[in-house]
Amino acid sequence: MSAAAPPSSTGSQKLDGAVRQVAAQTPEKLSGLALYSRFAFAGAVCCSITHGALTPVDVVKTRIQLDPVVYNNGMIGGFRKVIANEGAGALLTGFGPTAAGYFLQGAFKFGGYEFFKQQFINYFGYETASRNRTAVYLASSAAAEFFADIALCPLEATRIRLVSDPTFANGLMSGFGKIARTEGLGAFYSGFGPILFKQVPYTMAKFVVYEKVSELIFRQVDKSTLSNGALTGVNLGSGLIAGFAAALVSQPADTMLSKINKTKGAPGEGTVSRLYKIARELGLRGSFGGLGARLFMVGTLTGRENNPEDISLTEFMI
C-alpha cells in the first residue's frame, strides 16, 4: 500500500514539480532586518553619491552663508568667484567628509525611517496607524534623523571647517584629526543643536511632502498601469517638490550651522550663547543666505535620494 502524500503534495509529481518551479521563481518578500538593511544600504549609497556629486554647489552655498559681502552675486557668481580666486579644484573642498558623512546619514535615515514606521504600525495597529499616517510619517522621520545626525555631525563639522578655511587641513583625515587634537572631541558636536534644527524639520518635511504628493498622484492614476519610467518620473517629481519644501523649512538652521562651525568658540563661550549671538547678527534676511543654491542642491538631492536603487518608498507605505 503506497504511503499517503504529504499535505504539501498535490498527489501528482508533474503538478508538484510545476508548483515548486513557480515558488522558486517568486521573489521572497523582504521583511525585518533584511528589509531595513536594504533601505539602509541603498540610502547610504544614494546619499553619498548625490551629496558628493553636489559638493561644488555646497561649497558655493557655504561661502555665500559665511561671507555674504564677498559672495554677493548668487550661485553662478559664486562659482565664478571661487574659480577665479582659488582655482576649480577649490570647488571639491570637503568632498571626503561630505561623501563619508552622508553615507552614514543616509543609512540611518532611510533604514531608520522604515524601521520606526513599522514599529509604530506594530504598536498602534495597522488601522489606527493608517488613519494617522501623517503623524506616523512625522514621528518616524524625526526619530530616524536624530540618530542619523549623531553620525553625521562630526563629519559635517569637518567639512565646514575645510570649506571656510582652505588652509586648515588637506582633507578628511587630516582635518578630522586636527580638530580632535586641538579642540577636543566636543568640538565635533558644537553644531549638534543647529544640525538637529536643520535636519529634523528637513527630513520630516521631505518624507511627509514626498508621501503626500505620491499619494495624491496615485489617487488620480492607477499605479499598476504605469510603466517603470512613469513610476520613476512620479518619484522624481514628488522628490523635487519635497526637496523645495524641506529647503525652505530648514534654511535658517543650515546658515547657523555653517556659522557656528566656521571657527572655534571663544574661551568660556557656550553653544547656546554662540547661537544667540549668531542669530542676532544674521537677522531674518541673513538666515536665508544661499537659499538659491540650496534650493537647487536639495531639489536635486531629494529627487534621487527618495528613490534609492529605484526602491519606491510608496511601495511600503501604510
Side-chain angles (χ1 to χ4, degrees):
M1 188 176 181
S2 60
S8 60
S9 173
T10 63
S12 168
Q13 290 184 350
K14 289 184 178 180
L15 189 55
D16 286 347
V19 170
R20 285 194 295 270
Q21 185 177 8
V22 170
Q25 293 175 351
T26 302
E28 182 182 355
K29 188 173 181 180
L30 296 176
S31 62
L33 182 61
L35 175 63
Y36 305 140
S37 60
R38 185 180 182 186
F39 271 100
F41 179 73
V45 172
C46 285
C47 287
S48 181
I49 291 174
T50 52
H51 277 271
L54 287 168
T55 296
V57 180
D58 208 9
V59 168
V60 172
K61 183 265 298 180
T62 304
R63 293 290 179 86
I64 292 172
Q65 291 173 330
L66 296 179
D67 197 352
V69 175
V70 175
Y71 295 92
N72 57 4
N73 296 318
M75 184 173 71
I76 301 301
F79 269 104
R80 291 173 176 167
K81 196 158 290 187
V82 171
I83 294 172
N85 294 339
E86 305 170 44
L91 293 172
L92 292 177
T93 304
F95 173 81
T98 296
Y102 283 95
F103 183 91
L104 295 174
Q105 190 249 14
F108 280 99
K109 178 166 66 176
F110 283 93
Y113 178 65
E114 293 304 319
F115 171 78
F116 285 113
K117 192 162 66 171
Q118 188 60 53
Q119 301 316 302
F120 284 119
I121 293 172
N122 294 342
Y123 182 80
F124 292 108
Y126 184 88
E127 294 298 328
T128 301
S130 182
R131 288 195 302 269
N132 300 279
R133 57 184 176 274
T134 299
V136 171
Y137 296 154
L138 288 169
S140 301
S141 56
E145 187 59 49
F146 177 82
F147 291 101
D149 289 345
I150 294 174
L152 173 64
C153 199
L155 292 155
E156 184 70 356
T158 305
R159 180 196 72 81
I160 292 172
R161 190 65 62 88
L162 292 173
V163 173
S164 63
D165 183 5
T167 64
F168 179 75
N170 294 323
L172 168 59
M173 298 307 295
S174 59
F176 192 94
K178 186 174 181 179
I179 292 174
R181 286 193 313 272
T182 60
E183 302 175 36
L185 297 179
F188 290 120
Y189 286 94
S190 63
F192 188 61
I195 207 171
L196 283 178
F197 284 114
K198 167 195 169 185
Q199 290 294 135
V200 171
Y202 166 87
T203 300
M204 292 169 73
K206 180 173 74 170
F207 277 119
V208 171
V209 173
Y210 176 83
E211 302 269 23
K212 288 297 184 182
V213 172
S214 298
E215 283 182 18
L216 179 62
I217 293 172
F218 290 132
R219 278 202 296 266
Q220 306 300 320
V221 181
D222 185 356
K223 184 179 178 180
S224 63
T225 64
L226 297 179
S227 65
N228 288 336
L231 285 172
T232 300
V234 171
N235 290 332
L236 291 174
S238 301
L240 185 64
I241 295 170
F244 287 157
L248 288 169
V249 167
S250 60
Q251 180 63 20
D254 183 67
T255 303
M256 293 185 71
L257 177 65
S258 296
K259 288 284 189 180
I260 199 169
N261 281 312
K262 179 181 179 181
T263 57
K264 181 180 178 180
E269 187 178 26
T271 300
V272 175
S273 60
R274 289 181 68 194
L275 290 174
Y276 179 71
K277 181 180 177 181
I278 290 169
R280 288 188 60 186
E281 291 174 350
L282 286 172
L284 181 62
R285 183 175 180 179
S287 66
F288 283 89
L291 179 61
R294 190 155 182 261
L295 282 173
F296 174 83
M297 179 180 173
V298 170
T300 304
L301 288 172
T302 310
R304 290 308 305 152
E305 284 179 2
N306 268 10
N307 191 23
E309 290 190 353
D310 288 332
I311 303 171
S312 172
L313 292 178
T314 56
E315 293 179 7
F316 299 92
M317 281 167 50
I318 296 170

